[in-house]
Amino acid sequence: MHDDDKVLKKFKDTYAKDLILSQMGEDAVYYADDFVVTDFFYEKYKRLVSDNKKLLAGKTLLDVGANMGHWGLLSLMDGATSVTCLEPRRQYVDGLNTFSKKHGLDISAVQGIHSDIFGWNKNFDVVMLSSIVTSIPDIFDFLKKLKGITKHVIIRHVSLRDVPTDMCKMEKTYNFTHRSSVDLRSDGYLNNKTGNQYDIKNSTIDPGQVDDGTSYWWFYGIDYLVELFNYFGYKILRLEEQKSNGPEGTLYLSDNQLFHDIVLEAPDRTV
């Protein structure tokens, strides 16, 4: 599917299998062999990367909450000069760095959480936040500091239709999916190679450890976020809504969810 897009075709034919195996191991060989660019993958690539080609061209990119690094890699293929991926799960960090070294690509991964980037003393032309804002409870402090290390921010945001657009909902969830989550109450937030504090196995077999399998998401209404963007002086260059019950491949998402694609320009500064 979508082989008419040269970048996605090269990604599928040249990189996808190695990227999957380097991070998930030989147990994922059937998935790697059968990888296809689904409608959902294509739509997200288009909105997150392809539609921002001019913004990414010749720029350095920081991908916060990078998962396996596929959006960072596609950004590199679409013209970014270098990409740094921040990801809490050690398995993905090590795998991406192994993959990058093998293919001689200027993309690297660092283990950590969103607040760690402010201790690096390093600036980036563009910062990407793909479906990660819901994992940032300290959004005020984050946005305030973020404008000090970048000029542009690309956001793929998930909000809920049943939450008023000018409010935020804190939701407790059982972390039984691929989603990573960190315990911001503890300094020792990365205690194993998965990057989680939550031991899902223990939480299911030992009632005394039930909280080990839970995490929290913060669903910010879009008007709530817009007020924060304006408050901190960001200029909104793009704000588009996409309902999640759209193309095939989004079926794992609830009809209660909405996507917003956002591009911000930080207040004047030299990066």
Side-chain angles (χ1 to χ4, degrees):
M1 300 172 66
H2 305 294
D3 280 352
D4 56 323
D5 187 292
K6 294 181 180 179
V7 172
L8 286 179
K9 188 176 188 305
K10 182 177 180 180
F11 174 80
K12 175 180 177 294
D13 295 344
T14 307
Y15 297 128
K17 182 175 180 177
D18 271 355
L19 184 64
I20 293 168
L21 293 179
S22 67
Q23 300 185 56
M24 303 180 72
E26 291 299 322
D27 288 344
V29 65
Y30 294 116
Y31 169 52
D33 284 339
D34 295 338
F35 175 82
V36 294
V37 177
T38 63
D39 287 344
F40 175 70
F41 191 98
Y42 172 78
E43 187 69 19
K44 189 168 182 178
Y45 160 71
K46 180 179 181 300
R47 290 173 174 269
L48 192 64
V49 180
S50 182
D51 287 351
N52 294 306
K53 279 184 180 181
K54 291 183 179 179
L55 188 65
L56 292 165
K59 304 294 179 57
T60 59
L61 172 69
L62 170 63
D63 185 359
V64 178
N67 201 287
M68 294 176 65
H70 37 286
W71 307 122
L73 175 57
L74 284 163
S75 296
L76 190 70
M77 295 172 67
D78 261 329
T81 56
S82 67
V83 177
T84 301
C85 294
L86 178 76
E87 169 59 40
R89 288 163 287 191
R90 172 58 63 183
Q91 176 181 348
Y92 289 173
V93 171
D94 291 345
L96 182 57
N97 287 329
T98 298
F99 166 86
S100 175
K101 183 177 181 180
K102 176 181 178 179
H103 290 273
L105 299 170
D106 197 355
I107 180 171
S108 61
V110 179
Q111 187 179 26
I113 63 171
H114 63 281
S115 55
D116 292 340
I117 63 177
F118 304 120
W120 293 357
N121 295 317
K122 185 175 181 180
N123 294 333
F124 298 89
D125 296 316
V126 183
V127 172
M128 181 179 288
L129 306 169
S130 174
S131 304
I132 195 66
V133 172
T134 52
S135 297
I136 301 178
D138 49 339
I139 192 67
F140 285 83
D141 190 56
F142 183 76
L143 287 174
K144 178 181 177 181
K145 292 179 178 177
L146 187 63
K147 64 183 182 178
I149 68 166
T150 192
K151 185 60 180 176
H152 290 98
V153 186
I154 298 173
I155 301 173
R156 177 77 160 167
H157 179 56
V158 181
S159 59
L160 300 180
R161 296 180 64 179
D162 64 358
V163 176
T165 59
D166 59 350
M167 297 183 69
C168 170
K169 177 183 180 182
M170 179 179 177
E171 183 175 280
K172 185 176 183 179
T173 180
Y174 282 87
N175 196 20
F176 292 141
T177 70
H178 72 284
R179 296 288 183 186
S180 177
S181 187
V182 295
D183 185 354
L184 298 173
R185 298 167 296 181
S186 170
D187 291 332
Y189 58 84
L190 299 176
N191 62 5
N192 56 47
K193 75 173 187 176
T194 67
N196 298 329
Q197 303 70 41
Y198 308 107
D199 187 328
I200 303 304
K201 180 179 178 181
N202 285 346
S203 71
T204 56
I205 65 177
D206 183 352
Q209 299 188 52
V210 66
D211 282 342
D212 286 350
T214 61
S215 59
Y216 288 91
W217 288 351
W218 287 263
F219 289 100
Y220 300 100
I222 190 60
D223 291 334
Y224 184 102
L225 281 183
V226 167
E227 283 295 320
L228 291 183
F229 299 152
N230 291 332
Y231 179 74
F232 288 113
Y234 290 94
K235 180 179 180 181
I236 300 175
L237 303 180
R238 177 188 178 198
L239 176 57
E240 297 179 3
E241 178 183 303
Q242 178 198 8
K243 295 182 179 179
S244 62
N245 55 352
E248 180 183 0
T250 62
L251 300 180
Y252 72 94
L253 294 171
S254 165
D255 287 343
N256 188 39
Q257 293 179 321
L258 295 172
F259 285 127
H260 287 91
D261 295 290
I262 306 163
V263 177
L264 305 176
E265 182 179 303
D268 289 340
R269 57 164 283 109
T270 300
V271 177

